[in-house]
Amino acid sequence: GSGNTISSITTDVDDQITAVSGTGVMYKFELVKGSSSFEETISVNATSNSVVYQPTLTLNLAKYDNVLRNIWFELTKQPEFFAVVEDNNGRYWFPGEVNGLTINDGSVFTGAAYTDANGSTLTASGGEPAATREIEVSTTIDAVFSGITFDVV
């Protein structure tokens, strides 16, 4: 989402996130299957004895229209934003939990032929002190977040 503030995160004994408090709106995108991805790489510097976890989101958003244009514009102008990822197993992850994510690049396309893709792509990444944590969802993902609302796009 954009303009979000995360004020607290609660975890359980397994280090899974059970509650997130803050303010703002998170946009929920229904993605085309097989079109988007979440990846996390680990960079180790033995000389400085440091480790950085680098989450990367690649989003392909279909059906470019004014609503998507406005959200795309909002996300790209933010210095950082937070995201929740639902994987193909129905599990939720919170990449960029500490430092947020930043848009690295993106594009908008309308296609030339009727069968060409119409939408936008965004790539966002971050740098974190620990690996991305899973969100433990006992009822709904919305129930985990307090003060943050989800807006379905």
Side-chain angles (χ1 to χ4, degrees):
S2 65
N4 291 341
T5 301
I6 303 297
S7 55
S8 70
I9 295 175
T10 305
T11 58
D12 63 14
V13 295
D14 295 323
D15 203 31
Q16 292 180 314
I17 296 171
T18 56
V20 178
S21 296
T23 59
V25 174
M26 293 190 115
Y27 301 109
K28 182 178 180 182
F29 298 102
E30 294 295 331
L31 303 173
V32 176
K33 288 186 183 221
S35 69
S36 299
S37 65
F38 162 56
E39 178 181 341
E40 186 164 64
T41 58
I42 302 167
S43 295
V44 178
N45 184 327
T47 305
S48 66
N49 197 27
S50 62
V51 177
V52 176
Y53 296 83
Q54 299 168 304
T56 300
L57 297 179
T58 302
L59 304 175
N60 289 296
L61 308 171
K63 307 276 189 232
Y64 192 69
D65 61 14
N66 197 54
V67 172
L68 184 56
R69 176 242 179 239
N70 290 342
I71 293 169
W72 198 86
F73 179 70
E74 185 68 27
L75 289 176
T76 57
K77 72 179 185 177
Q78 297 297 319
E80 64 192 29
F81 68 95
F82 299 97
V84 174
V85 174
E86 181 181 8
D87 68 16
N88 289 331
N89 299 310
R91 299 168 97 162
Y92 293 89
W93 303 90
F94 197 39
E97 167 190 341
V98 175
N99 297 316
L101 300 168
T102 304
I103 301 290
N104 302 93
D105 58 42
S107 63
V108 174
F109 44 89
T110 60
Y114 288 117
T115 56
D116 287 350
N118 174 302
S120 66
T121 62
L122 293 173
T123 302
S125 63
E128 296 291 309
T132 296
R133 290 196 275 194
E134 184 176 357
I135 301 172
E136 178 64 37
V137 178
S138 58
T139 55
T140 66
I141 188 66
D142 299 52
V144 174
F145 288 83
S146 173
I148 296 173
T149 57
F150 285 84
D151 189 5
V152 179
V153 178

